[in-house]
Amino acid sequence: MGNIIVKDIVRRDFEDLKRDLNQGNIPKVAAEYKERLNKMENLPLNIAVTGQTGSGKSSFVNAFRDVRDDDDEAAKVGSVEGTMEPKAYAHPCFPNMKLWDLPGIGTPKFQAMEYLKKVQFEKYDVFIIVISNRFTENEAMLAKEIQRMGRKFYFVCSKIDASIQGEKRKKNFNMEKTLETIRNYCKDNLKSLGEPSARVFLISSWEVHMYDFPLLQKTIAAELPDHKKNILTLSVYIFSEDQLMRKKEILEAYIKKVAWVSFACGLVPVPGVSMACDIGILVDALKFFCKVFGLDDRSLRFLAAQTGKEFEELKSAIKKTPLGRAIDAELVFSLLMRSSAWVAVSIVEMALDFIPVLGSVFGGASSYVVTYRFLKSFLDDAVEDAQNVQAKFLK
């Protein structure tokens, strides 16, 4: 019964694609989707991080990129200002997203306009202003200048974990009331400096799953231009069902683009080219999915360090998908071989490769259908495993 359904799907798509090919539309559509796919993977996102010396800028840059302070690719952390010039730090899994560690703004001769010229204001999509104790006129002046130039900015109060630890020594400690007190203090401080409606995010770079860190990432993503918000959404950790479903939604659209690229490869009337192309496409896509959902060793180790869970405990929650490093052509081929539909259409495709027009159209149609169905199934498994990991660290 299952094979009959698959054959019907292939036959139906085959007829639709043959009609479009005769109208001259398919090559154009495939080329457009390939271009969109490349843009999605390479579009830059630049986030500037500034603040007082010793406020925790560098640790924040590391945490936002899912990097520990002692990792090789980490921004240098220290109490003495180590950032003299803007320095870019790429996300390890999404190199098109960069966080820029900017020089501290706590200098006596600080002028907002001069500072923005020095750090080349125009290259950044958003600004994050980090403080650890209280806001000063420097931060307020900088925020007004950024706003005047039409960019988004976000105030971040870091090291909240240290503040909470100090408050826990007091009698009748209440987490929610303590956070509300700190938040109101920050808002009152900003109001006195002429920023009455500014939002303040309370975060800890050592516990990114707590306080306002997830909300900060979600808010920035929501307020970015449409063509860039997906970059941030895909790169951040999953701390809520809403984030998970948003990632899934983006990747469902991504799957369609990948399937069209696969279709374009399937049009090539050379025996074996379509199969080799499909496997290469699937290897890249599966690795990408694992990075997006944090199903790889590096992501799990960072998450373990942040949440206090054991790496093996988090890893044990992954039941259906291989870890990113295990994905290669051999694994993908073995997974495809388990699909009777893929085996059947591959045999037919190789036979038809010697019939110019018919072979090209069937090759394209079958590549599209197999790639789409395979990736959709893998996506569903990855979402389920991500939910399992989330349940582990939130327990």
Side-chain angles (χ1 to χ4, degrees), residues 49-66:
V49 181
T50 186
Q52 305 165 11
T53 299
S55 62
K57 291 188 289 100
S58 297
S59 287
F60 176 83
V61 166
N62 293 335
F64 206 97
R65 296 161 51 238
D66 310 335

Side-chain angles (χ1 to χ4, degrees), residues 113-128:
M113 191 60 192
E114 292 176 7
Y115 181 85
L116 291 175
K117 286 181 180 178
K118 180 180 179 181
V119 301
Q120 296 179 292
F121 164 87
E122 65 282 352
K123 75 166 61 172
Y124 311 112
D125 296 290
V126 297
F127 282 77
I128 295 173

